[in-house]
Amino acid sequence: MSAAFAKVNFWKQVQQGRFSNVILLMKIVIFISMITRAIFLLYSFPDVDITLTTIAGIFIIGLFYDFINASYFSIPLLIYTWLVPESQYTKKWNRYTLYGLFFTLIYILLFNGIAEWFFWEEFNTRFNFIAVDYLVYTTEVLGNIQESYPIGWIITGITLACAMLVYRTTDHILTDDIKPMGFGKRSLIAAAFIALPVLSFFTITTRLHHFSSNAYANELAGNGMYELFAAYRNNELSYDQFYKRIKCEDSFKEIKKLLKTTETAYISDNPFDITRTVKHTGPEKKLNVVLISVESLSAGFMNTFGSTKGITPFLDSLASHSLLFTQLYATGTRTVRGLEALSLCVPPTPGQSIVRRPHNEHLFTLGKVFEEKGYESKFIYGGYGYFDNMGYFFAHNQYDVMDRNQLKDEEIDYENIWGVADENLFTLAEKEMERTIASGKPVFAHVMTTSNHRPFTYPDGRIDIPSSTGRDGAVKYTDYAIGKFIRACSHKSWFNNTVFVIIADHCASSAGKTELPIHKYHIPLLIYSPANIQPAHMDRLMSQIDLGPTLLGLLNFSYTSKFFGYDIYSLEPGRERAFISTYQSLGYVKNNKLIVLSPQQKLDTYQVSLDGNLQRQEGNDPALTREAISWYQSASYAFSNGLMR
């Protein structure tokens, strides 16, 4: 009885003493988090599989994560409460200091809630790896926010709401009429409080809220602030540590078997070396190549793929005069992931894109192949190349980098925080191509657009949709700019010796009811060269990493390759596959099945149709599972061990 009484008395002292302020803050954190969750649920209600179990899971598991997050968030107040001497705690200055602390912390909570709302509206997820990237590039991100939202009114609203909440809280902040508490007892209580975040740091992961087959429900059960810092901790994931694997030698044995096609031959018996010669008969076609990777161009934007909006009139008209690839899938959800696939022709590795990683210099790239064929390889970007490490990556991997800095002010009709208008980007591209061709060399130019990105702004008077009214206008403006560029090129002497390749870096949105909705990775690919390539359809399943080898095959190039992609025209029917991913989940699509590899060595198999319908399958296909593991494990090993150089 005495021990039980002592515990009750101890807890009573906590509730009635100075540490009651820590409990008060934790209650506020949980309250705001639950309100945020309820708002997100109402916004996404049509996409959530509403059942009693789902709702219970969202709010019960969500409450658990809110409580964990509250224990982290209250640490600054906990330390202050612990360290202030007894002689000073009841002073007037301390009360106002506590008011200031509460104001600051509640302001952060409200600001976080608003930021989460905008992030949810854009990506339909809690904060994740993308949000971590955004914290790194504050200039572009803050500029984007300023150009997209009424930031002044938002800040004013947050400040007023925070002031009102703190005012209602002041009567509950205790500094007077509390029992004295020595440093030893304060230390014991502080240790009890700090034990929760310390314990959870080593035992709790973000996977615990993945309780449902519905991706929206899983995201709602999480806590955005907790997810943000979890993503920061896991921005690079070791494949060997977190994913299902086989013996490394076996993965390369499998991958060498998978990569072998009729036109290739391995040059080494080294079990970890995939270097092979690619041989084509007949003369090589030293044509200029313009590879346009279009920001966020989902296939579904084009009438060619079923849209009725008419926002890509030029691309739709060009499709009938091009080699059109109808079943191509992006590897990821970020520009840097698309650039990785297009330049390195490698499956996505977990965590950060190779474009953003250290030790990514002197890799085997598409630019290197063209350089070895006597081309000048260029990466041309309308923003500043430091963003997402693009400039560094391409400059150290056989490309000359041209960005916003190469344009004079009089050459710019319009720019926003992401870069110049796409038509000005293409003016730069045309100028750089002319310079190289005049020197007697062919050119390979990889041009990366920016206009199809929030805040969706562009020069007035170009199209019939006003600037800054939404994505449809941005898509139509980019379509206009591409049309203007190709029409201008058609009057050049070098037009008949040029191949134009138009592909997306990724889709506009990858959110869906499932974690990897394959239809949200479907992107267009058009290869246009009326004097050299006959219009046709290629309807076989393809990955974004297959573009490089397929393009080189169309040019009839023989070369030495370290690519993981296929030349689709040299690949026997039945061997097609695609890779789709988030920063954690790795998907492998083949034979109407989707294998998903996730951290904690998790593996799921689905029956899949390309319209996005998934059906979880009990049991795994051993051969297909081995293939999926081999592709991803070998690619991760190859980069980590310098085998892509």
Side-chain angles (χ1 to χ4, degrees):
M1 283 293 287
S2 59
F5 179 78
K7 289 179 181 178
V8 171
N9 188 51
F10 177 81
W11 179 241
K12 188 176 181 180
Q13 289 185 50
V14 172
Q15 288 181 304
Q16 294 180 353
R18 61 168 70 187
F19 286 95
S20 65
N21 296 327
V22 178
I23 296 173
L24 174 62
L25 178 62
M26 291 179 68
K27 289 178 179 177
I28 293 171
V29 174
I30 292 169
F31 172 75
I32 292 175
S33 299
M34 292 295 279
I35 292 296
T36 302
R37 180 173 292 105
I39 292 171
F40 289 176
L41 175 59
L42 290 174
Y43 178 79
S44 301
F45 199 81
D47 297 307
V48 180
D49 295 333
I50 301 299
T51 65
L52 185 61
T53 302
T54 301
I55 297 300
I58 288 172
F59 283 97
I60 293 172
I61 297 173
L63 179 61
F64 171 76
Y65 276 101
D66 294 345
F67 182 64
I68 298 298
N69 180 60
S71 71
Y72 282 108
F73 191 79
S74 61
I75 288 175
L77 180 61
L78 174 66
I79 293 173
Y80 178 83
T81 302
W82 168 46
L83 293 179
V84 174
E86 190 66 36
S87 62
Q88 299 297 312
Y89 197 81
T90 57
K91 300 290 186 181
K92 190 173 183 180
W93 69 264
N94 180 54
R95 171 173 284 276
Y96 287 105
T97 300
L98 284 171
Y99 291 166
L101 265 174
F102 267 82
F103 183 91
T104 301
L105 294 172
I106 291 174
Y107 191 94
I108 292 172
L109 286 171
L110 294 176
F111 187 89
N112 175 79
I114 296 297
E116 268 203 87
W117 164 257
F118 292 135
F119 195 82
W120 186 277
E121 184 184 35
E122 180 86 7
F123 299 105
N124 297 117
T125 69
R126 296 286 192 174
F127 286 145
N128 57 22
F129 209 54
I130 299 173
V132 174
D133 284 354
Y134 280 7
L135 289 177
V136 175
Y137 296 101
T138 52
T139 300
E140 285 78 6
V141 173
L142 290 177
N144 180 38
I145 291 170
Q146 288 177 327
E147 293 175 356
S148 302
Y149 304 105
I151 194 67
W153 287 107
I154 291 171
I155 295 297
T156 300
I158 292 174
T159 303
L160 292 174
C162 182
M164 291 175 61
L165 192 53
V166 171
Y167 177 75
R168 298 295 300 271
T169 303
T170 52
D171 290 342
H172 302 281
I173 298 175
L174 297 182
T175 57
D176 303 324
D177 299 325
I178 58 174
K179 291 183 178 181
M181 187 178 291
F183 184 75
K185 182 171 282 188
R186 297 203 306 271
S187 298
L188 182 62
I189 295 173
F193 271 99
I194 205 70
L196 178 60
V198 170
L199 185 63
S200 66
F201 183 87
F202 293 104
T203 60
I204 306 301
T205 72
T206 61
R207 300 299 300 179
L208 295 179
H209 66 81
H210 289 217
F211 73 101
S212 169
S213 60
N214 183 278
Y216 287 91
N218 292 334
E219 292 295 328
L220 287 166
N223 178 283
M225 192 175 288
Y226 180 88
E227 296 288 320
L228 178 66
F229 288 98
Y232 179 79
R233 286 174 56 200
N234 297 311
N235 62 356
E236 289 191 23
L237 297 174
S238 165
Y239 185 93
D240 287 347
Q241 180 179 355
F242 291 102
Y243 292 84
K244 192 171 284 294
R245 63 190 304 275
I246 58 179
K247 287 183 179 179
C248 198
E249 294 87 347
D250 291 343
S251 73
F252 272 89
K253 184 177 180 180
E254 182 76 16
I255 212 67
K256 291 182 81 167
K257 180 178 70 175
L258 290 168
L259 283 174
K260 184 70 178 75
T261 52
T262 55
E263 84 285 13
T264 67
Y266 289 104
I267 66 171
S268 168
D269 293 330
N270 183 335
F272 300 104
D273 187 1
I274 66 166
T275 307
R276 56 208 185 277
T277 58
V278 180
K279 296 288 187 182
H280 289 101
T281 59
E284 296 184 337
K285 303 173 184 178
K286 294 290 183 70
L287 305 174
N288 304 305
V289 177
V290 184
L291 169 58
I292 303 171
S293 51
V294 183
E295 172 70 44
S296 305
L297 185 66
S298 303
F301 290 148
M302 294 179 62
N303 287 20
T304 301
F305 293 98
S307 174
T308 58
K309 292 183 176 180
I311 55 176
T312 56
F314 177 77
L315 291 179
D316 284 317
S317 67
L318 193 69
S320 61
H321 301 284
S322 302
L323 181 54
L324 176 68
F325 295 76
T326 62
Q327 292 296 339
L328 181 74
Y329 291 85
T331 59
T333 61
R334 296 292 317 282
T335 294
V336 284
R337 189 63 85 185
L339 295 177
E340 170 192 87
L342 296 172
S343 61
L344 297 173
C345 308
V346 63
T349 51
Q352 189 63 270
S353 164
I354 290 172
V355 175
R356 292 281 310 278
R357 290 190 186 181
H359 313 302
N360 64 1
E361 304 88 357
H362 313 302
L363 303 178
F364 184 80
T365 63
L366 189 58
K368 179 177 176 61
V369 176
F370 278 108
E371 184 183 60
E372 290 174 346
K373 295 296 181 181
Y375 284 65
E376 278 193 10
S377 297
K378 301 175 182 290
F379 176 71
I380 305 173
Y381 177 59
Y384 291 104
Y386 69 80
F387 182 74
D388 262 347
N389 204 46
M390 289 185 282
Y392 182 89
F393 171 80
F394 282 101
H396 288 79
N397 285 288
Q398 297 83 44
Y399 292 78
D400 293 330
V401 175
M402 313 293 165
D403 67 1
R404 167 69 178 78
N405 290 304
Q406 273 66 51
L407 283 167
K408 300 175 182 177
D409 290 343
E410 58 268 24
E411 295 177 300
I412 299 173
D413 291 285
Y414 185 87
E415 64 180 316
N416 60 28
I417 195 63
W418 296 112
V420 300
D422 283 347
E423 60 190 282
N424 301 138
L425 165 68
F426 288 123
T427 298
L428 174 61
E430 185 181 335
K431 181 172 68 175
E432 287 298 323
M433 290 177 65
E434 291 265 82
R435 185 180 63 79
T436 299
I437 293 168
S439 73
K441 285 188 173 184
V443 62
F444 167 55
H446 183 158
V447 185
M448 179 70 226
T449 74
T450 62
S451 290
N452 184 20
H453 196 298
R454 192 178 294 276
F456 309 127
T457 55
Y458 41 85
D460 291 327
R462 271 47 170 190
I463 59 172
D464 57 0
I465 302 176
S467 174
S468 195
T469 56
R471 188 179 291 278
D472 285 356
V475 171
K476 192 165 188 177
Y477 170 71
T478 294
D479 177 86
Y480 159 84
I482 294 172
K484 181 180 178 181
F485 170 62
I486 291 181
R487 290 187 188 101
C489 292
S490 69
H491 299 294
K492 302 293 183 179
S493 60
W494 42 261
F495 176 74
N496 287 338
N497 295 320
T498 303
V499 177
F500 297 89
V501 181
I502 302 170
I503 190 171
D505 58 349
H506 58 85
C507 281
S509 170
S510 61
K513 291 186 177 183
T514 57
E515 190 171 11
L516 289 175
I518 184 171
H519 63 296
K520 294 296 185 76
Y521 291 80
H522 186 204
I523 57 174
L525 168 60
L526 292 77
I527 298 182
Y528 174 68
S529 184
N532 304 285
I533 296 176
Q534 292 296 313
H537 278 205
M538 167 52 74
D539 298 322
R540 296 169 67 185
L541 178 68
M542 285 180 64
S543 171
Q544 200 174 22
I545 74 170
D546 298 328
L547 171 61
T550 299
L551 175 61
L552 296 172
L554 290 170
L555 296 174
N556 215 40
F557 282 1
S558 295
Y559 60 101
T560 300
S561 175
K562 292 178 181 283
F563 293 146
F564 283 73
Y566 289 134
D567 175 354
I568 194 67
Y569 291 99
S570 298
L571 184 70
E572 302 95 316
R575 294 181 59 187
E576 305 90 346
R577 83 285 173 263
F579 305 94
I580 59 176
S581 72
T582 63
Y583 72 97
Q584 285 191 332
S585 296
L586 308 173
Y588 181 66
V589 183
K590 187 176 183 181
N591 298 335
N592 297 318
K593 290 184 180 179
L594 168 64
I595 306 291
V596 179
L597 306 173
S598 304
Q600 283 78 52
Q601 288 79 44
K602 186 178 177 184
L603 185 148
D604 293 299
T605 303
Y606 300 88
Q607 286 292 131
V608 60
S609 60
L610 299 183
D611 61 2
N613 291 321
L614 294 180
Q615 181 69 44
R616 189 186 295 273
Q617 178 178 306
E618 295 299 328
N620 295 312
D621 180 326
L624 202 61
T625 297
R626 184 180 178 86
E627 284 188 21
I629 293 171
S630 296
W631 283 106
Y632 283 116
Q633 184 176 330
S634 60
S636 296
Y637 182 93
F639 175 72
S640 299
N641 291 274
L643 300 180
M644 291 185 184
R645 289 187 166 88

